[in-house]
Amino acid sequence: MKIHREGYSLVLYSLGATAVLNTIIILLFNEIKYLWIGTLSISALFVCFLLYFFRKAERELSEDAAKIFVPADGEVVAMEESFEDEYFKDKRLQLSVFMTIFNVHSNTYPVSGKIKYIKYHPGKFFIASHPKSSVYNERLSLVIETEQGVEILVRQIAGMVARRIVSYASQGAEVKQGDELGFIKFGSRVDVFLPPGTKPEVVLHQKVRANIDILAKLDNQQ
């Protein structure tokens, strides 16, 4: 299992801190076995959780301009036509994937194309599965224009626990379907806004995986 680069410093810091803490407790309370054994066990579980959370999924896909791949592991929590008021300012098909702390949190580009728009918004930290998190939570929006001229908005949204959105995108960059878009630390959500009439390939509450499952098809947009 590989560890994602966003977890390197936190995992190393945690290993060092827990090693120092447990050494002190063992030296001071060596005779109280339940205390130092308990502390050691909790520390080991905590480090194992960090290693699990920051695991990196190695997945390859073959580019397909007619397909929009799922950009995040998790559960489909929204599938509806909604008014997108940041960039398009009209109705779009919104598909949202909610990530729990047990999902891989690396986000990927659902399509290939050029980054036409990118903007970070500070905000609140409602639970990411709630619909209003798309509007009020800390978030980062970017728009990708495909070679066919289709514009797709992807929005990373921080949740109740998440406090940092990482994006590797830059204005004007050419991006490849399946490459890393960014990372959201701890429970969070990714929204994708598609042209009206786009055909979804997922259903509500479906468990999905980035770069494996197809979110929608753009056959009628070419």
Side-chain angles (χ1 to χ4, degrees), residues 155-167:
R155 180 173 291 148
Q156 295 174 284
I157 303 169
M160 185 183 295
V161 179
R163 287 296 185 273
R164 187 185 176 200
I165 294 174
V166 178
S167 175

Side-chain angles (χ1 to χ4, degrees), residues 181-208:
L181 180 160
F183 196 96
I184 312 178
K185 296 188 175 179
F186 305 106
S188 45
R189 164 175 168 161
V190 175
D191 289 349
V192 181
F193 290 86
L194 306 172
T198 302
K199 179 184 176 183
E201 292 292 317
V202 294
V203 296
L204 202 59
H205 303 304
Q206 179 179 335
K207 305 295 184 182
V208 293

Side-chain angles (χ1 to χ4, degrees), residues 73-137:
D73 286 18
E75 178 185 351
V76 178
V77 294
M79 183 187 298
E80 60 189 0
E81 190 176 78
S82 61
F83 188 84
E84 198 293 302
D85 62 356
E86 178 182 350
Y87 180 82
F88 295 115
K89 301 188 185 303
D90 61 14
K91 285 191 175 182
R92 297 276 153 164
L93 173 63
Q94 177 185 341
L95 299 173
S96 302
V97 178
F98 173 68
M99 296 171 280
T100 71
I101 58 174
F102 301 107
N103 292 124
V104 172
H105 270 54
S106 175
N107 306 147
T108 55
Y109 292 107
V111 295
S112 297
K114 182 177 181 179
I115 303 293
K116 288 195 65 180
Y117 171 88
I118 182 168
K119 187 172 183 179
Y120 168 78
H121 303 268
K124 301 182 183 298
F125 297 96
F126 294 115
I127 184 170
S129 58
H130 196 287
K132 65 182 178 182
S133 67
S134 183
V135 178
Y136 296 110
N137 277 26

Side-chain angles (χ1 to χ4, degrees), residues 18-19 21-23 25-26 33-46:
T18 53
L21 174 64
N22 282 280
T23 299
I25 289 178
I26 290 173
K33 287 188 176 181
Y34 72 87
L35 177 61
W36 63 263
I37 290 177
T39 303
L40 188 62
S41 299
I42 293 172
S43 299
L45 287 173
F46 176 68

